[in-house]
Amino acid sequence: MPPSVDVVAPAGWRGLTGVVHRALGSALDGHPIDVDAAQTLLHTEDSTEISALLAVAGTVRSRLKGSTVTYSPKVFLPITNLCRDRCTYCTFRRDPDDPHAWTMRPAEVRAASRAGRGQGCVEALMCLGDKPELAFRSHRQTLAALGHRTTVEYVHQTCTIAIDEGLLPHTNAGVMSRDELQLLRPVNVSMGLMLECVSPRLRRKGQVHYHAPDKDPEPRMRMLREAGELHIPLTTGILVGIGETRAERVDSLAAIRDLHARHGHIQEVIVQNFRAKPNTGAATHPETGSLELAQTIAVARLLLWDMSIQAPPNLSPYDHRLLLAAGLNDWGGISPVTPDYVNPEAPWPHVAALADLCRSEGFTLQPRLPIYPEYVDRPGFLDPALATPVAARTAELGARIC
């Protein structure tokens, strides 16, 4: 069960002193905190300061986002679980000779997409490993049999299938080149790449990304920047508890903030907690506590301000009230038909139950598209070919408030 936290009224910050007092007071006056204040707020272990932080972050969220909390009804399509990276915490990736390895065929993509539409889904999440064709000859042969050279070329085909079935694709294919982003842009309403952590330290020997070249922060930051230059609505975020310091966590959030300030393309930021999984190199790695996760979400809210802040509800099933109090405004994708293939041990919450919980906390749960409304209306951020299906799905969701 989550820790007991008494979130003080926003006025409670007045009893504090120093940097915390100034930062929270400034936030209540309508000003985002700076990096130095974020570092102080994330490092404090004083219960009064933390409760004041959560209260102020919740107040700021309500002022900026109102009383609506959103989620995306999705179909999770794990196009391939082959991956050239070997992150120590991952149970999704497989080698080709593993009996649990797969690459979805077009007929499977169509069947899953159709099943999702039948259950009211609007998003097709294309999720896959990083550049498996660079590591595995057998996968290159599979792609050739499918009529493609690269996995991203094949993802383009799967996206067109999903669109034919009435879904709106959102692709998370790991690090992509500028040409690959341009290839997928006309068949995706948005794309995603978790920054995870901006520090290169996690690529050192003994760290979680030592055998994961695509987790180097430099190419990830390059892709996030190029997505902005190409006007692609983007999801990114940080992974909390993989060995990063709290200072590195703030640095990662600040890097996301700075990219968005230049390009205005990051539509949501995920604050995702690491979960230890059996039979992985990180199986005994300690997980981040509920209160520290909430503290990180609150700091993200005050640093990133009016950006959408998201946390996966299936990874913190007992902490939904706490995370709402900390200032999130979105739960991310939830599927009625497919599991979370990256975290199969963590089932999605039932939407009706999540709606009841949100309602008890004063919020209305509402479904959304995988592209946020401000990007639908913003010139250059939605390919014209996708305007009609987006309009149709927007009309469909208009009456679906939980």
Side-chain angles (χ1 to χ4, degrees):
M1 296 298 290
S4 176
V5 178
D6 294 323
V7 179
V8 301
W13 70 272
R14 297 183 187 280
L16 305 175
T17 59
V19 173
V20 172
H21 174 270
R22 292 192 298 273
L24 298 185
S26 180
L28 288 174
D29 286 339
H31 306 290
I33 63 175
D34 60 24
V35 171
D36 288 341
Q39 293 285 8
T40 297
L41 290 168
L42 190 54
H43 281 84
T44 183
E45 297 184 2
D46 181 273
S47 59
T48 300
E49 292 181 343
I50 293 173
S51 62
L53 165 64
L54 300 191
V56 171
T59 297
V60 168
R61 180 271 325 280
S62 295
R63 288 177 180 175
L64 297 171
K65 301 293 185 181
S67 60
T68 297
V69 179
T70 52
Y71 77 101
S72 177
K74 74 177 180 184
V75 179
F76 194 131
L77 298 172
I79 301 303
T80 183
N81 62 354
L82 303 177
C83 183
R84 74 166 180 164
D85 295 330
R86 297 176 182 274
C87 303
T88 63
Y89 49 77
C90 182
T91 59
F92 177 74
R93 63 118 20 235
R94 290 290 189 271
D95 290 327
D97 58 355
D98 191 299
H100 299 292
W102 69 71
T103 296
M104 294 182 75
R105 298 316 196 252
E108 295 172 308
V109 173
R110 188 173 298 279
S113 298
R114 187 168 296 175
R117 278 299 294 145
Q119 293 296 317
C121 294
V122 296
E123 174 185 348
L125 171 62
M126 306 290 174
C127 188
L128 53 147
D130 269 272
K131 298 180 178 61
E133 66 272 23
L134 297 183
F136 307 118
R137 177 187 298 177
S138 62
H139 185 62
R140 294 194 293 272
Q141 294 170 340
T142 297
L143 290 172
L146 291 166
H148 300 288
R149 291 183 310 106
T150 69
T151 307
V152 169
E153 287 178 1
Y154 179 51
V155 169
H156 184 282
Q157 179 183 349
T158 66
C159 289
T160 62
I161 293 171
I163 292 169
D164 288 343
E165 294 298 329
L167 296 174
L168 302 176
H170 169 93
T171 291
N172 190 336
V175 177
M176 291 185 280
S177 69
R178 190 183 191 95
D179 288 344
E180 289 172 328
L181 288 169
Q182 289 177 312
L183 174 67
L184 292 185
R185 189 182 186 282
V187 293
N188 278 268
V189 297
S190 60
M191 299 187 209
L193 178 73
M194 290 289 282
L195 175 57
E196 296 199 12
C197 183
V198 78
S199 173
R201 186 180 59 81
L202 298 185
R203 285 276 291 125
R204 295 176 185 170
K205 188 173 183 179
Q207 299 295 323
V208 293
H209 293 155
Y210 179 61
H211 294 291
D214 295 290
K215 294 301 177 74
D216 190 296
E218 184 175 344
R220 299 180 90 76
M221 287 292 292
R222 186 266 308 159
M223 180 182 145
L224 296 180
R225 183 185 69 252
E226 290 182 344
E229 294 168 353
L230 294 170
H231 290 178
I232 295 172
L234 201 74
T235 293
T236 189
I238 62 172
L239 194 52
V240 177
I242 55 174
E244 83 290 356
T245 65
R246 296 194 189 197
E248 289 168 338
R249 207 176 297 167
V250 171
D251 289 342
S252 300
L253 291 171
I256 293 169
R257 178 202 59 182
D258 293 345
L259 280 169
H260 183 68
R262 287 195 292 273
H263 303 291
H265 65 304
I266 296 176
Q267 64 173 8
E268 59 188 359
V269 178
I270 306 172
V271 179
Q272 180 173 329
N273 49 316
F274 158 83
R275 297 302 302 266
K277 304 175 191 297
N279 304 315
T280 66
T284 60
H285 190 82
E287 297 181 352
T288 301
S290 302
L291 187 54
E292 184 180 340
L293 177 63
Q295 190 176 356
T296 305
I297 290 171
V299 168
R301 167 57 64 206
L302 298 185
L303 183 67
L304 304 180
W305 205 245
D306 58 351
M307 297 175 71
S308 187
I309 307 297
Q310 176 192 124
N314 59 319
L315 300 185
S316 302
Y318 303 110
D319 299 329
H320 295 163
R321 286 186 172 84
L322 179 60
L323 303 188
L324 282 169
L328 70 76
N329 65 287
D330 186 77
W331 293 115
I334 298 175
S335 180
V337 292
T338 52
D340 179 348
Y341 287 95
V342 175
N343 301 283
E345 76 287 351
W348 307 114
H350 291 286
V351 170
L354 187 61
D356 287 343
L357 182 142
C358 289
R359 195 175 299 113
S360 72
E361 298 299 308
F363 298 96
T364 299
L365 183 65
Q366 184 170 335
R368 61 163 174 83
L369 304 183
I371 180 172
Y372 280 58
E374 56 265 37
Y375 293 97
V376 174
D377 300 330
R378 188 172 171 188
F381 276 81
L382 178 66
D383 191 275
L386 296 171
T388 296
V390 164
R393 298 291 80 78
T394 300
E396 174 187 322
L397 291 188
R400 284 172 53 184
I401 298 176
C402 302

